Amino acid sequence: GSSMFGLLLSILSCVLSACGGIYSEKLLKDKASQSIHWQNMQLYTWGVLFNFAGALLHDSADLSKGLFRGYNFWACAVVVNNALNGLAISAILKYADNIARVYAHAAAMIVTMILSVFLFGQKPTPQLTIAVAIVGASAVQYNLKPEQAQDQKSPSSEPPKKSAAHDSQDREEDDLDDELAEMIPPASPSSTTA
């Protein structure tokens, strides 16, 4: 019943988040020459408009008493933190990719777990420890260059095999050398002794 509905909503949330992230990355990278600050202004304008419309529809009575009514230092700190987080995510999407963004979120969860242990005395559960290990291993695996992965997979004394692209490049260089040798006549003995 309700657990299945919750699972479906979680899947829908994952799909919508992934689509939103990919589309935001596309918007940021399509105009790579534009300033990231100008692009952020364009993207966040829509968020401000939709949130303001939602606030007018659902919380107009509270808005009439003041936009920041009830805010204390900690509420303002959360707003500033979320704004900086949004700017950081925009930079990650523009200069890296969505996979890096996902790993940044995973790293934030790991830091949250560590801080919870030290600040609140919480004990990490076995599931959380396994999840942290899996995320860490996948981050390392994703960021390995193919040569590093090959070296770690089977260290051997044989030199690495050249790829087909390298073989093709070597053949092209040999053909060019042969063509140059045909074009340049060999030096005659009389011209070198003169």
Side-chain angles (χ1 to χ4, degrees), residues 46-179:
W46 291 104
V48 169
L49 291 175
F50 280 110
N51 282 305
F52 187 67
L56 283 177
L57 286 173
H58 300 291
D59 299 318
S60 56
D62 288 333
L63 281 177
S64 64
K65 297 173 186 171
L67 185 61
F68 296 105
R69 184 180 65 84
Y71 276 48
N72 61 12
F73 170 79
W74 294 111
C76 291
V78 168
V79 169
V80 169
N81 182 55
N82 285 337
L84 294 174
N85 186 37
L87 294 174
I89 287 173
S90 292
I92 289 170
L93 290 176
K94 184 173 177 86
Y95 301 114
D97 58 19
N98 260 296
I99 303 296
R101 178 184 66 91
V102 169
Y103 281 123
H105 281 296
M109 290 182 357
I110 292 170
V111 170
T112 301
M113 179 204 72
I114 292 168
L115 289 176
S116 296
V117 168
F118 289 112
L119 295 177
F120 306 118
Q122 293 183 348
K123 295 189 178 194
T125 63
Q127 295 91 337
L128 186 59
T129 306
I130 292 169
V132 166
I134 290 171
V135 167
S138 71
V140 169
Q141 188 68 24
Y142 177 77
N143 288 301
L144 278 179
K145 292 185 174 63
E147 310 85 54
Q148 292 173 322
Q150 185 64 29
D151 290 346
Q152 287 185 355
K153 194 187 294 182
S154 59
S156 65
S157 58
E158 297 178 17
K161 294 181 180 178
K162 290 186 176 180
S163 67
H166 282 97
D167 289 340
S168 173
Q169 185 179 5
D170 288 345
R171 282 194 301 271
E172 288 175 8
E173 288 174 3
D174 290 342
D175 292 344
L176 185 61
D177 289 342
D178 293 340
E179 288 176 15

Side-chain angles (χ1 to χ4, degrees), residues 19 36 41 97 119 131 146:
C19 290
I36 190 171
M41 286 172 56
D97 58 19
L119 295 177

